[in-house]
Every structure is written in structure tokens, then in C-alpha cells.
Amino acid sequence: YNLSRKLLISEQPLNDKIGIVDFRYILKKSNAMKTLGNKFLYYEKKINKKFKEKQIELKDKEEKLKKDKTGLSDLSYKNKLNFFKKEVLIVQKNYKNERSILNKSFQKIQKKIKDLLAQVIKDISIKKKVNVVFLKENVFLFNNPSIDFTSEALDLFNKRTKSFKIIITPSD
């Protein structure tokens, strides 16, 4: 009685070519991510500087309001204080909004960069006839350094992103 039985994985011949790539390392070292990081920091500093200036302006207005309190009627003082509080809320809301726009823009571009890198890795794996690619961070041990094509992927990724335009759209 000859039943065909399924082979256990351990009994199957190993004919799948395997590759390993360090995705995080490539992102960290890539020119595109460095440029994106620098632009993000530039706009972050710009937003923070603008907010700091507004804070100083508001602090001065608050001091002036405190000094003027004695010369104002209760109603006039309350009106000016309410107006000041509204102004503070608007400045805080604008700051939060600008930070949010910057972060969303950064995340959108970061996703495009990651997708592009994934395509580069796929292209290399097809060229090398690699059927399975593991992320280096998920591999406990590999004894054959020739299956690691991180450097090749980084080089190709830098070439493909050379003309990549990184435009962060903060509100000015």
C-alpha cells in the first residue's frame, strides 16, 4: 500500500536561494534619509524659533496688562484679559498645527523612501535569483556573508534616490 506522504520541511531539498539585508542600516546611511532628516530638523527649528518669539511677545503683553490693571476698570481689565487668553490659545493651536503638518509630511516622505528601498531590494533579489530575503535584525545566525547584500542595496538605493526631490510642506 503506497500512500504518497507529504515530505516534512526538514526532508525537503534546500533549493531556495536566501539573501539577507539590513533595511534599518540602509535607511540610516542613505543619502535620502540624511537629507530628509536635515530638512525636518531645519523646519522644526524654524517652527520652534517662531513659537519662542511669539511666547516672548505674549509674555511682554502679559506684563503690560498686569501693569495697566490698576488704571483699568474691572470690566475693561477682564475684557483685555479674555482677549489675551484667546490670543494665547490661537498661538498654541497654530504651533500644534504646524508641528502636525511637519510630522505628517515627514512620515509621508519616509514611507515613500521605505517603499522605494523595498523595490530596490526586490530588484536585486530578482537579479541574484534570490527567492527569500530576510531582514538582518530577524536573523539569529548566518554563516555565509555572501548572502548579505546590504552594501549593494545601499549603493543602488543612493543611485536611484540621487534625483529624488524631498519637499517638506510646513505652513509658513
Side-chain angles (χ1 to χ4, degrees), residues 23 27-28 32-33 36-37 40 103-117 157 164 166 168:
F23 199 87
L27 282 179
K28 199 168 104 180
M33 279 304 274
L36 177 60
F40 177 81
N103 287 333
K104 283 176 187 162
S105 183
F106 177 76
Q107 287 166 358
K108 212 161 109 181
I109 298 165
Q110 200 175 32
K111 187 189 178 324
K112 280 184 187 175
I113 289 173
K114 286 178 179 180
D115 290 347
L116 199 63
L117 176 54
F157 184 62
F164 188 72
I166 293 174
I168 294 179

mmCIF file with all atom_site columns, all heavy atoms in Angstrom, residues 23 27-28 32-33 36-37 40 103-117 157 164 166 168:
data_model
loop_
_atom_site.group_PDB
_atom_site.id
_atom_site.type_symbol
_atom_site.label_atom_id
_atom_site.label_alt_id
_atom_site.label_comp_id
_atom_site.label_asym_id
_atom_site.label_entity_id
_atom_site.label_seq_id
_atom_site.pdbx_PDB_ins_code
_atom_site.Cartn_x
_atom_site.Cartn_y
_atom_site.Cartn_z
_atom_site.occupancy
_atom_site.B_iso_or_equiv
_atom_site.pdbx_formal_charge
_atom_site.auth_seq_id
_atom_site.auth_comp_id
_atom_site.auth_asym_id
_atom_site.auth_atom_id
_atom_site.pdbx_PDB_model_num
ATOM 1   N N   . PHE A 1 23  ? 17.860 46.460 6.437  1.00 0.00 ? 23  PHE A N   1
ATOM 2   C CA  . PHE A 1 23  ? 16.963 47.532 5.997  1.00 0.00 ? 23  PHE A CA  1
ATOM 3   C C   . PHE A 1 23  ? 17.196 48.813 6.803  1.00 0.00 ? 23  PHE A C   1
ATOM 4   O O   . PHE A 1 23  ? 17.339 49.894 6.247  1.00 0.00 ? 23  PHE A O   1
ATOM 5   C CB  . PHE A 1 23  ? 15.510 47.055 6.150  1.00 0.00 ? 23  PHE A CB  1
ATOM 6   C CG  . PHE A 1 23  ? 14.502 47.832 5.356  1.00 0.00 ? 23  PHE A CG  1
ATOM 7   C CD1 . PHE A 1 23  ? 14.216 47.487 4.044  1.00 0.00 ? 23  PHE A CD1 1
ATOM 8   C CD2 . PHE A 1 23  ? 13.811 48.900 5.925  1.00 0.00 ? 23  PHE A CD2 1
ATOM 9   C CE1 . PHE A 1 23  ? 13.266 48.188 3.309  1.00 0.00 ? 23  PHE A CE1 1
ATOM 10  C CE2 . PHE A 1 23  ? 12.869 49.603 5.194  1.00 0.00 ? 23  PHE A CE2 1
ATOM 11  C CZ  . PHE A 1 23  ? 12.596 49.246 3.887  1.00 0.00 ? 23  PHE A CZ  1
ATOM 12  N N   . LEU A 1 27  ? 18.573 52.538 5.527  1.00 0.00 ? 27  LEU A N   1
ATOM 13  C CA  . LEU A 1 27  ? 17.817 53.785 5.722  1.00 0.00 ? 27  LEU A CA  1
ATOM 14  C C   . LEU A 1 27  ? 18.663 54.815 6.459  1.00 0.00 ? 27  LEU A C   1
ATOM 15  O O   . LEU A 1 27  ? 18.722 55.983 6.076  1.00 0.00 ? 27  LEU A O   1
ATOM 16  C CB  . LEU A 1 27  ? 16.532 53.527 6.508  1.00 0.00 ? 27  LEU A CB  1
ATOM 17  C CG  . LEU A 1 27  ? 15.366 52.926 5.737  1.00 0.00 ? 27  LEU A CG  1
ATOM 18  C CD1 . LEU A 1 27  ? 14.187 52.717 6.667  1.00 0.00 ? 27  LEU A CD1 1
ATOM 19  C CD2 . LEU A 1 27  ? 14.957 53.780 4.551  1.00 0.00 ? 27  LEU A CD2 1
ATOM 20  N N   . LYS A 1 28  ? 19.327 54.380 7.522  1.00 0.00 ? 28  LYS A N   1
ATOM 21  C CA  . LYS A 1 28  ? 20.131 55.274 8.348  1.00 0.00 ? 28  LYS A CA  1
ATOM 22  C C   . LYS A 1 28  ? 21.287 55.885 7.549  1.00 0.00 ? 28  LYS A C   1
ATOM 23  O O   . LYS A 1 28  ? 21.593 57.064 7.691  1.00 0.00 ? 28  LYS A O   1
ATOM 24  C CB  . LYS A 1 28  ? 20.662 54.487 9.560  1.00 0.00 ? 28  LYS A CB  1
ATOM 25  C CG  . LYS A 1 28  ? 21.111 55.365 10.709 1.00 0.00 ? 28  LYS A CG  1
ATOM 26  C CD  . LYS A 1 28  ? 21.348 54.563 11.960 1.00 0.00 ? 28  LYS A CD  1
ATOM 27  C CE  . LYS A 1 28  ? 22.835 54.397 12.166 1.00 0.00 ? 28  LYS A CE  1
ATOM 28  N NZ  . LYS A 1 28  ? 23.188 53.641 13.340 1.00 0.00 ? 28  LYS A NZ  1
ATOM 29  N N   . ALA A 1 32  ? 19.227 59.850 0.991  1.00 0.00 ? 32  ALA A N   1
ATOM 30  C CA  . ALA A 1 32  ? 17.845 60.339 1.000  1.00 0.00 ? 32  ALA A CA  1
ATOM 31  C C   . ALA A 1 32  ? 17.345 60.567 2.425  1.00 0.00 ? 32  ALA A C   1
ATOM 32  O O   . ALA A 1 32  ? 16.737 61.598 2.723  1.00 0.00 ? 32  ALA A O   1
ATOM 33  C CB  . ALA A 1 32  ? 16.931 59.356 0.269  1.00 0.00 ? 32  ALA A CB  1
ATOM 34  N N   . MET A 1 33  ? 17.615 59.609 3.320  1.00 0.00 ? 33  MET A N   1
ATOM 35  C CA  . MET A 1 33  ? 17.153 59.760 4.708  1.00 0.00 ? 33  MET A CA  1
ATOM 36  C C   . MET A 1 33  ? 17.934 60.843 5.449  1.00 0.00 ? 33  MET A C   1
ATOM 37  O O   . MET A 1 33  ? 17.381 61.548 6.281  1.00 0.00 ? 33  MET A O   1
ATOM 38  C CB  . MET A 1 33  ? 17.248 58.434 5.465  1.00 0.00 ? 33  MET A CB  1
ATOM 39  C CG  . MET A 1 33  ? 16.094 57.497 5.189  1.00 0.00 ? 33  MET A CG  1
ATOM 40  S SD  . MET A 1 33  ? 14.463 58.197 5.531  1.00 0.00 ? 33  MET A SD  1
ATOM 41  C CE  . MET A 1 33  ? 14.306 57.828 7.258  1.00 0.00 ? 33  MET A CE  1
ATOM 42  N N   . LEU A 1 36  ? 16.426 64.062 4.250  1.00 0.00 ? 36  LEU A N   1
ATOM 43  C CA  . LEU A 1 36  ? 15.109 64.215 4.874  1.00 0.00 ? 36  LEU A CA  1
ATOM 44  C C   . LEU A 1 36  ? 15.249 64.623 6.339  1.00 0.00 ? 36  LEU A C   1
ATOM 45  O O   . LEU A 1 36  ? 14.569 65.550 6.794  1.00 0.00 ? 36  LEU A O   1
ATOM 46  C CB  . LEU A 1 36  ? 14.307 62.916 4.760  1.00 0.00 ? 36  LEU A CB  1
ATOM 47  C CG  . LEU A 1 36  ? 12.935 62.909 5.444  1.00 0.00 ? 36  LEU A CG  1
ATOM 48  C CD1 . LEU A 1 36  ? 12.024 63.975 4.868  1.00 0.00 ? 36  LEU A CD1 1
ATOM 49  C CD2 . LEU A 1 36  ? 12.283 61.538 5.333  1.00 0.00 ? 36  LEU A CD2 1
ATOM 50  N N   . GLY A 1 37  ? 16.135 63.954 7.055  1.00 0.00 ? 37  GLY A N   1
ATOM 51  C CA  . GLY A 1 37  ? 16.364 64.268 8.470  1.00 0.00 ? 37  GLY A CA  1
ATOM 52  C C   . GLY A 1 37  ? 16.829 65.702 8.667  1.00 0.00 ? 37  GLY A C   1
ATOM 53  O O   . GLY A 1 37  ? 16.339 66.410 9.551  1.00 0.00 ? 37  GLY A O   1
ATOM 54  N N   . PHE A 1 40  ? 13.941 68.070 7.960  1.00 0.00 ? 40  PHE A N   1
ATOM 55  C CA  . PHE A 1 40  ? 12.995 68.016 9.077  1.00 0.00 ? 40  PHE A CA  1
ATOM 56  C C   . PHE A 1 40  ? 13.512 68.876 10.228 1.00 0.00 ? 40  PHE A C   1
ATOM 57  O O   . PHE A 1 40  ? 12.788 69.694 10.783 1.00 0.00 ? 40  PHE A O   1
ATOM 58  C CB  . PHE A 1 40  ? 12.781 66.572 9.535  1.00 0.00 ? 40  PHE A CB  1
ATOM 59  C CG  . PHE A 1 40  ? 11.870 66.455 10.726 1.00 0.00 ? 40  PHE A CG  1
ATOM 60  C CD1 . PHE A 1 40  ? 10.493 66.492 10.575 1.00 0.00 ? 40  PHE A CD1 1
ATOM 61  C CD2 . PHE A 1 40  ? 12.383 66.320 12.005 1.00 0.00 ? 40  PHE A CD2 1
ATOM 62  C CE1 . PHE A 1 40  ? 9.644  66.407 11.673 1.00 0.00 ? 40  PHE A CE1 1
ATOM 63  C CE2 . PHE A 1 40  ? 11.547 66.231 13.114 1.00 0.00 ? 40  PHE A CE2 1
ATOM 64  C CZ  . PHE A 1 40  ? 10.172 66.265 12.940 1.00 0.00 ? 40  PHE A CZ  1
ATOM 65  N N   . ASN A 1 103 ? 5.111  66.852 10.840 1.00 0.00 ? 103 ASN A N   1
ATOM 66  C CA  . ASN A 1 103 ? 5.231  65.418 11.128 1.00 0.00 ? 103 ASN A CA  1
ATOM 67  C C   . ASN A 1 103 ? 4.563  64.555 10.065 1.00 0.00 ? 103 ASN A C   1
ATOM 68  O O   . ASN A 1 103 ? 5.117  63.543 9.645  1.00 0.00 ? 103 ASN A O   1
ATOM 69  C CB  . ASN A 1 103 ? 4.657  65.096 12.509 1.00 0.00 ? 103 ASN A CB  1
ATOM 70  C CG  . ASN A 1 103 ? 5.558  65.592 13.625 1.00 0.00 ? 103 ASN A CG  1
ATOM 71  O OD1 . ASN A 1 103 ? 6.762  65.716 13.460 1.00 0.00 ? 103 ASN A OD1 1
ATOM 72  N ND2 . ASN A 1 103 ? 4.968  65.912 14.757 1.00 0.00 ? 103 ASN A ND2 1
ATOM 73  N N   . LYS A 1 104 ? 3.373  64.966 9.619  1.00 0.00 ? 104 LYS A N   1
ATOM 74  C CA  . LYS A 1 104 ? 2.659  64.203 8.584  1.00 0.00 ? 104 LYS A CA  1
ATOM 75  C C   . LYS A 1 104 ? 3.424  64.202 7.278  1.00 0.00 ? 104 LYS A C   1
ATOM 76  O O   . LYS A 1 104 ? 3.528  63.182 6.607  1.00 0.00 ? 104 LYS A O   1
ATOM 77  C CB  . LYS A 1 104 ? 1.244  64.761 8.376  1.00 0.00 ? 104 LYS A CB  1
ATOM 78  C CG  . LYS A 1 104 ? 0.274  64.341 9.462  1.00 0.00 ? 104 LYS A CG  1
ATOM 79  C CD  . LYS A 1 104 ? -1.091 64.984 9.268  1.00 0.00 ? 104 LYS A CD  1
ATOM 80  C CE  . LYS A 1 104 ? -1.979 64.680 10.462 1.00 0.00 ? 104 LYS A CE  1
ATOM 81  N NZ  . LYS A 1 104 ? -3.120 65.588 10.543 1.00 0.00 ? 104 LYS A NZ  1
ATOM 82  N N   . SER A 1 105 ? 3.965  65.352 6.920  1.00 0.00 ? 105 SER A N   1
ATOM 83  C CA  . SER A 1 105 ? 4.751  65.476 5.705  1.00 0.00 ? 105 SER A CA  1
ATOM 84  C C   . SER A 1 105 ? 5.992  64.577 5.777  1.00 0.00 ? 105 SER A C   1
ATOM 85  O O   . SER A 1 105 ? 6.316  63.861 4.827  1.00 0.00 ? 105 SER A O   1
ATOM 86  C CB  . SER A 1 105 ? 5.157  66.941 5.511  1.00 0.00 ? 105 SER A CB  1
ATOM 87  O OG  . SER A 1 105 ? 5.860  67.111 4.317  1.00 0.00 ? 105 SER A OG  1
ATOM 88  N N   . PHE A 1 106 ? 6.660  64.605 6.919  1.00 0.00 ? 106 PHE A N   1
ATOM 89  C CA  . PHE A 1 106 ? 7.858  63.784 7.150  1.00 0.00 ? 106 PHE A CA  1
ATOM 90  C C   . PHE A 1 106 ? 7.518  62.297 7.024  1.00 0.00 ? 106 PHE A C   1
ATOM 91  O O   . PHE A 1 106 ? 8.218  61.547 6.360  1.00 0.00 ? 106 PHE A O   1
ATOM 92  C CB  . PHE A 1 106 ? 8.427  64.094 8.536  1.00 0.00 ? 106 PHE A CB  1
ATOM 93  C CG  . PHE A 1 106 ? 9.628  63.271 8.919  1.00 0.00 ? 106 PHE A CG  1
ATOM 94  C CD1 . PHE A 1 106 ? 10.873 63.537 8.375  1.00 0.00 ? 106 PHE A CD1 1
ATOM 95  C CD2 . PHE A 1 106 ? 9.523  62.227 9.832  1.00 0.00 ? 106 PHE A CD2 1
ATOM 96  C CE1 . PHE A 1 106 ? 11.985 62.788 8.725  1.00 0.00 ? 106 PHE A CE1 1
ATOM 97  C CE2 . PHE A 1 106 ? 10.622 61.468 10.188 1.00 0.00 ? 106 PHE A CE2 1
ATOM 98  C CZ  . PHE A 1 106 ? 11.853 61.755 9.630  1.00 0.00 ? 106 PHE A CZ  1
ATOM 99  N N   . GLN A 1 107 ? 6.418  61.879 7.664  1.00 0.00 ? 107 GLN A N   1
ATOM 100 C CA  . GLN A 1 107 ? 6.023  60.466 7.628  1.00 0.00 ? 107 GLN A CA  1
ATOM 101 C C   . GLN A 1 107 ? 5.656  60.022 6.216  1.00 0.00 ? 107 GLN A C   1
ATOM 102 O O   . GLN A 1 107 ? 5.966  58.895 5.813  1.00 0.00 ? 107 GLN A O   1
ATOM 103 C CB  . GLN A 1 107 ? 4.852  60.219 8.584  1.00 0.00 ? 107 GLN A CB  1
ATOM 104 C CG  . GLN A 1 107 ? 5.280  60.256 10.036 1.00 0.00 ? 107 GLN A CG  1
ATOM 105 C CD  . GLN A 1 107 ? 4.116  60.358 11.009 1.00 0.00 ? 107 GLN A CD  1
ATOM 106 O OE1 . GLN A 1 107 ? 2.954  60.438 10.615 1.00 0.00 ? 107 GLN A OE1 1
ATOM 107 N NE2 . GLN A 1 107 ? 4.424  60.385 12.297 1.00 0.00 ? 107 GLN A NE2 1
ATOM 108 N N   . LYS A 1 108 ? 5.011  60.905 5.458  1.00 0.00 ? 108 LYS A N   1
ATOM 109 C CA  . LYS A 1 108 ? 4.620  60.586 4.082  1.00 0.00 ? 108 LYS A CA  1
ATOM 110 C C   . LYS A 1 108 ? 5.861  60.346 3.211  1.00 0.00 ? 108 LYS A C   1
ATOM 111 O O   . LYS A 1 108 ? 5.935  59.370 2.470  1.00 0.00 ? 108 LYS A O   1
ATOM 112 C CB  . LYS A 1 108 ? 3.789  61.744 3.518  1.00 0.00 ? 108 LYS A CB  1
ATOM 113 C CG  . LYS A 1 108 ? 2.731  61.334 2.526  1.00 0.00 ? 108 LYS A CG  1
ATOM 114 C CD  . LYS A 1 108 ? 1.683  62.429 2.384  1.00 0.00 ? 108 LYS A CD  1
ATOM 115 C CE  . LYS A 1 108 ? 1.813  63.103 1.045  1.00 0.00 ? 108 LYS A CE  1
ATOM 116 N NZ  . LYS A 1 108 ? 0.842  64.181 0.860  1.00 0.00 ? 108 LYS A NZ  1
ATOM 117 N N   . ILE A 1 109 ? 6.838  61.241 3.334  1.00 0.00 ? 109 ILE A N   1
ATOM 118 C CA  . ILE A 1 109 ? 8.070  61.105 2.549  1.00 0.00 ? 109 ILE A CA  1
ATOM 119 C C   . ILE A 1 109 ? 8.857  59.883 3.014  1.00 0.00 ? 109 ILE A C   1
ATOM 120 O O   . ILE A 1 109 ? 9.407  59.143 2.202  1.00 0.00 ? 109 ILE A O   1
ATOM 121 C CB  . ILE A 1 109 ? 8.936  62.385 2.650  1.00 0.00 ? 109 ILE A CB  1
ATOM 122 C CG1 . ILE A 1 109 ? 8.181  63.578 2.068  1.00 0.00 ? 109 ILE A CG1 1
ATOM 123 C CG2 . ILE A 1 109 ? 10.259 62.202 1.926  1.00 0.00 ? 109 ILE A CG2 1
ATOM 124 C CD1 . ILE A 1 109 ? 8.762  64.916 2.424  1.00 0.00 ? 109 ILE A CD1 1
ATOM 125 N N   . GLN A 1 110 ? 8.894  59.657 4.331  1.00 0.00 ? 110 GLN A N   1
ATOM 126 C CA  . GLN A 1 110 ? 9.597  58.500 4.879  1.00 0.00 ? 110 GLN A CA  1
ATOM 127 C C   . GLN A 1 110 ? 9.005  57.194 4.321  1.00 0.00 ? 110 GLN A C   1
ATOM 128 O O   . GLN A 1 110 ? 9.740  56.277 3.975  1.00 0.00 ? 110 GLN A O   1
ATOM 129 C CB  . GLN A 1 110 ? 9.498  58.532 6.399  1.00 0.00 ? 110 GLN A CB  1
ATOM 130 C CG  . GLN A 1 110 ? 10.555 57.707 7.082  1.00 0.00 ? 110 GLN A CG  1
ATOM 131 C CD  . GLN A 1 110 ? 10.485 57.859 8.599  1.00 0.00 ? 110 GLN A CD  1
ATOM 132 O OE1 . GLN A 1 110 ? 9.417  58.049 9.180  1.00 0.00 ? 110 GLN A OE1 1
ATOM 133 N NE2 . GLN A 1 110 ? 11.636 57.768 9.239  1.00 0.00 ? 110 GLN A NE2 1
ATOM 134 N N   . LYS A 1 111 ? 7.688  57.139 4.205  1.00 0.00 ? 111 LYS A N   1
ATOM 135 C CA  . LYS A 1 111 ? 7.031  55.956 3.654  1.00 0.00 ? 111 LYS A CA  1
ATOM 136 C C   . LYS A 1 111 ? 7.434  55.752 2.191  1.00 0.00 ? 111 LYS A C   1
ATOM 137 O O   . LYS A 1 111 ? 7.735  54.644 1.764  1.00 0.00 ? 111 LYS A O   1
ATOM 138 C CB  . LYS A 1 111 ? 5.515  56.050 3.771  1.00 0.00 ? 111 LYS A CB  1
ATOM 139 C CG  . LYS A 1 111 ? 4.835  54.740 3.347  1.00 0.00 ? 111 LYS A CG  1
ATOM 140 C CD  . LYS A 1 111 ? 3.338  54.864 3.236  1.00 0.00 ? 111 LYS A CD  1
ATOM 141 C CE  . LYS A 1 111 ? 2.643  53.618 2.784  1.00 0.00 ? 111 LYS A CE  1
ATOM 142 N NZ  . LYS A 1 111 ? 3.299  52.785 1.796  1.00 0.00 ? 111 LYS A NZ  1
ATOM 143 N N   . LYS A 1 112 ? 7.472  56.847 1.417  1.00 0.00 ? 112 LYS A N   1
ATOM 144 C CA  . LYS A 1 112 ? 7.890  56.762 0.003  1.00 0.00 ? 112 LYS A CA  1
ATOM 145 C C   . LYS A 1 112 ? 9.313  56.220 -0.097 1.00 0.00 ? 112 LYS A C   1
ATOM 146 O O   . LYS A 1 112 ? 9.613  55.389 -0.946 1.00 0.00 ? 112 LYS A O   1
ATOM 147 C CB  . LYS A 1 112 ? 7.822  58.135 -0.675 1.00 0.00 ? 112 LYS A CB  1
ATOM 148 C CG  . LYS A 1 112 ? 6.449  58.539 -1.113 1.00 0.00 ? 112 LYS A CG  1
ATOM 149 C CD  . LYS A 1 112 ? 6.508  59.875 -1.857 1.00 0.00 ? 112 LYS A CD  1
ATOM 150 C CE  . LYS A 1 112 ? 5.115  60.384 -2.150 1.00 0.00 ? 112 LYS A CE  1
ATOM 151 N NZ  . LYS A 1 112 ? 5.128  61.729 -2.751 1.00 0.00 ? 112 LYS A NZ  1
ATOM 152 N N   . ILE A 1 113 ? 10.181 56.711 0.787  1.00 0.00 ? 113 ILE A N   1
ATOM 153 C CA  . ILE A 1 113 ? 11.584 56.268 0.788  1.00 0.00 ? 113 ILE A CA  1
ATOM 154 C C   . ILE A 1 113 ? 11.668 54.777 1.123  1.00 0.00 ? 113 ILE A C   1
ATOM 155 O O   . ILE A 1 113 ? 12.391 54.027 0.477  1.00 0.00 ? 113 ILE A O   1
ATOM 156 C CB  . ILE A 1 113 ? 12.425 57.128 1.769  1.00 0.00 ? 113 ILE A CB  1
ATOM 157 C CG1 . ILE A 1 113 ? 12.600 58.537 1.196  1.00 0.00 ? 113 ILE A CG1 1
ATOM 158 C CG2 . ILE A 1 113 ? 13.778 56.496 2.055  1.00 0.00 ? 113 ILE A CG2 1
ATOM 159 C CD1 . ILE A 1 113 ? 13.257 59.534 2.139  1.00 0.00 ? 113 ILE A CD1 1
ATOM 160 N N   . LYS A 1 114 ? 10.914 54.336 2.130  1.00 0.00 ? 114 LYS A N   1
ATOM 161 C CA  . LYS A 1 114 ? 10.918 52.915 2.518  1.00 0.00 ? 114 LYS A CA  1
ATOM 162 C C   . LYS A 1 114 ? 10.376 52.036 1.397  1.00 0.00 ? 114 LYS A C   1
ATOM 163 O O   . LYS A 1 114 ? 10.912 50.958 1.134  1.00 0.00 ? 114 LYS A O   1
ATOM 164 C CB  . LYS A 1 114 ? 10.097 52.710 3.793  1.00 0.00 ? 114 LYS A CB  1
ATOM 165 C CG  . LYS A 1 114 ? 10.785 53.200 5.040  1.00 0.00 ? 114 LYS A CG  1
ATOM 166 C CD  . LYS A 1 114 ? 9.898  53.024 6.261  1.00 0.00 ? 114 LYS A CD  1
ATOM 167 C CE  . LYS A 1 114 ? 10.595 53.490 7.517  1.00 0.00 ? 114 LYS A CE  1
ATOM 168 N NZ  . LYS A 1 114 ? 9.764  53.342 8.714  1.00 0.00 ? 114 LYS A NZ  1
ATOM 169 N N   . ASP A 1 115 ? 9.325  52.493 0.733  1.00 0.00 ? 115 ASP A N   1
ATOM 170 C CA  . ASP A 1 115 ? 8.757  51.739 -0.386 1.00 0.00 ? 115 ASP A CA  1
ATOM 171 C C   . ASP A 1 115 ? 9.766  51.625 -1.526 1.00 0.00 ? 115 ASP A C   1
ATOM 172 O O   . ASP A 1 115 ? 9.894  50.576 -2.161 1.00 0.00 ? 115 ASP A O   1
ATOM 173 C CB  . ASP A 1 115 ? 7.469  52.396 -0.903 1.00 0.00 ? 115 ASP A CB  1
ATOM 174 C CG  . ASP A 1 115 ? 6.313  52.277 0.081  1.00 0.00 ? 115 ASP A CG  1
ATOM 175 O OD1 . ASP A 1 115 ? 6.425  51.480 1.044  1.00 0.00 ? 115 ASP A OD1 1
ATOM 176 O OD2 . ASP A 1 115 ? 5.300  52.976 -0.106 1.00 0.00 ? 115 ASP A OD2 1
ATOM 177 N N   . LEU A 1 116 ? 10.473 52.711 -1.781 1.00 0.00 ? 116 LEU A N   1
ATOM 178 C CA  . LEU A 1 116 ? 11.492 52.723 -2.832 1.00 0.00 ? 116 LEU A CA  1
ATOM 179 C C   . LEU A 1 116 ? 12.628 51.756 -2.488 1.00 0.00 ? 116 LEU A C   1
ATOM 180 O O   . LEU A 1 116 ? 13.095 51.005 -3.344 1.00 0.00 ? 116 LEU A O   1
ATOM 181 C CB  . LEU A 1 116 ? 12.028 54.143 -2.997 1.00 0.00 ? 116 LEU A CB  1
ATOM 182 C CG  . LEU A 1 116 ? 12.753 54.466 -4.286 1.00 0.00 ? 116 LEU A CG  1
ATOM 183 C CD1 . LEU A 1 116 ? 11.818 54.335 -5.480 1.00 0.00 ? 116 LEU A CD1 1
ATOM 184 C CD2 . LEU A 1 116 ? 13.306 55.886 -4.227 1.00 0.00 ? 116 LEU A CD2 1
ATOM 185 N N   . LEU A 1 117 ? 13.026 51.751 -1.222 1.00 0.00 ? 117 LEU A N   1
ATOM 186 C CA  . LEU A 1 117 ? 14.077 50.827 -0.782 1.00 0.00 ? 117 LEU A CA  1
ATOM 187 C C   . LEU A 1 117 ? 13.617 49.377 -0.919 1.00 0.00 ? 117 LEU A C   1
ATOM 188 O O   . LEU A 1 117 ? 14.378 48.521 -1.369 1.00 0.00 ? 117 LEU A O   1
ATOM 189 C CB  . LEU A 1 117 ? 14.504 51.117 0.659  1.00 0.00 ? 117 LEU A CB  1
ATOM 190 C CG  . LEU A 1 117 ? 15.534 50.154 1.263  1.00 0.00 ? 117 LEU A CG  1
ATOM 191 C CD1 . LEU A 1 117 ? 16.779 50.030 0.396  1.00 0.00 ? 117 LEU A CD1 1
ATOM 192 C CD2 . LEU A 1 117 ? 15.889 50.575 2.676  1.00 0.00 ? 117 LEU A CD2 1
ATOM 193 N N   . PHE A 1 157 ? 20.368 52.045 -3.969 1.00 0.00 ? 157 PHE A N   1
ATOM 194 C CA  . PHE A 1 157 ? 19.355 52.941 -3.404 1.00 0.00 ? 157 PHE A CA  1
ATOM 195 C C   . PHE A 1 157 ? 19.815 54.395 -3.498 1.00 0.00 ? 157 PHE A C   1
ATOM 196 O O   . PHE A 1 157 ? 19.050 55.278 -3.893 1.00 0.00 ? 157 PHE A O   1
ATOM 197 C CB  . PHE A 1 157 ? 19.061 52.550 -1.948 1.00 0.00 ? 157 PHE A CB  1
ATOM 198 C CG  . PHE A 1 157 ? 17.963 53.341 -1.319 1.00 0.00 ? 157 PHE A CG  1
ATOM 199 C CD1 . PHE A 1 157 ? 16.664 53.299 -1.810 1.00 0.00 ? 157 PHE A CD1 1
ATOM 200 C CD2 . PHE A 1 157 ? 18.215 54.138 -0.209 1.00 0.00 ? 157 PHE A CD2 1
ATOM 201 C CE1 . PHE A 1 157 ? 15.641 54.040 -1.221 1.00 0.00 ? 157 PHE A CE1 1
ATOM 202 C CE2 . PHE A 1 157 ? 17.198 54.873 0.388  1.00 0.00 ? 157 PHE A CE2 1
ATOM 203 C CZ  . PHE A 1 157 ? 15.918 54.818 -0.120 1.00 0.00 ? 157 PHE A CZ  1
ATOM 204 N N   . PHE A 1 164 ? 15.941 62.285 -6.339 1.00 0.00 ? 164 PHE A N   1
ATOM 205 C CA  . PHE A 1 164 ? 14.707 62.258 -5.547 1.00 0.00 ? 164 PHE A CA  1
ATOM 206 C C   . PHE A 1 164 ? 14.520 63.601 -4.857 1.00 0.00 ? 164 PHE A C   1
ATOM 207 O O   . PHE A 1 164 ? 15.387 64.055 -4.132 1.00 0.00 ? 164 PHE A O   1
ATOM 208 C CB  . PHE A 1 164 ? 14.817 61.114 -4.525 1.00 0.00 ? 164 PHE A CB  1
ATOM 209 C CG  . PHE A 1 164 ? 13.568 60.813 -3.756 1.00 0.00 ? 164 PHE A CG  1
ATOM 210 C CD1 . PHE A 1 164 ? 12.485 60.198 -4.374 1.00 0.00 ? 164 PHE A CD1 1
ATOM 211 C CD2 . PHE A 1 164 ? 13.469 61.121 -2.404 1.00 0.00 ? 164 PHE A CD2 1
ATOM 212 C CE1 . PHE A 1 164 ? 11.331 59.902 -3.665 1.00 0.00 ? 164 PHE A CE1 1
ATOM 213 C CE2 . PHE A 1 164 ? 12.325 60.824 -1.693 1.00 0.00 ? 164 PHE A CE2 1
ATOM 214 C CZ  . PHE A 1 164 ? 11.250 60.221 -2.328 1.00 0.00 ? 164 PHE A CZ  1
ATOM 215 N N   . ILE A 1 166 ? 13.001 65.927 -2.148 1.00 0.00 ? 166 ILE A N   1
ATOM 216 C CA  . ILE A 1 166 ? 12.396 65.855 -0.821 1.00 0.00 ? 166 ILE A CA  1
ATOM 217 C C   . ILE A 1 166 ? 11.828 67.231 -0.494 1.00 0.00 ? 166 ILE A C   1
ATOM 218 O O   . ILE A 1 166 ? 12.565 68.191 -0.298 1.00 0.00 ? 166 ILE A O   1
ATOM 219 C CB  . ILE A 1 166 ? 13.425 65.396 0.235  1.00 0.00 ? 166 ILE A CB  1
ATOM 220 C CG1 . ILE A 1 166 ? 13.812 63.952 -0.039 1.00 0.00 ? 166 ILE A CG1 1
ATOM 221 C CG2 . ILE A 1 166 ? 12.863 65.557 1.642  1.00 0.00 ? 166 ILE A CG2 1
ATOM 222 C CD1 . ILE A 1 166 ? 14.907 63.404 0.826  1.00 0.00 ? 166 ILE A CD1 1
ATOM 223 N N   . ILE A 1 168 ? 9.319  69.069 2.047  1.00 0.00 ? 168 ILE A N   1
ATOM 224 C CA  . ILE A 1 168 ? 8.504  69.073 3.255  1.00 0.00 ? 168 ILE A CA  1
ATOM 225 C C   . ILE A 1 168 ? 7.624  70.311 3.168  1.00 0.00 ? 168 ILE A C   1
ATOM 226 O O   . ILE A 1 168 ? 8.098  71.383 2.812  1.00 0.00 ? 168 ILE A O   1
ATOM 227 C CB  . ILE A 1 168 ? 9.387  69.100 4.530  1.00 0.00 ? 168 ILE A CB  1
ATOM 228 C CG1 . ILE A 1 168 ? 10.183 67.793 4.632  1.00 0.00 ? 168 ILE A CG1 1
ATOM 229 C CG2 . ILE A 1 168 ? 8.538  69.314 5.768  1.00 0.00 ? 168 ILE A CG2 1
ATOM 230 C CD1 . ILE A 1 168 ? 11.093 67.708 5.821  1.00 0.00 ? 168 ILE A CD1 1
#
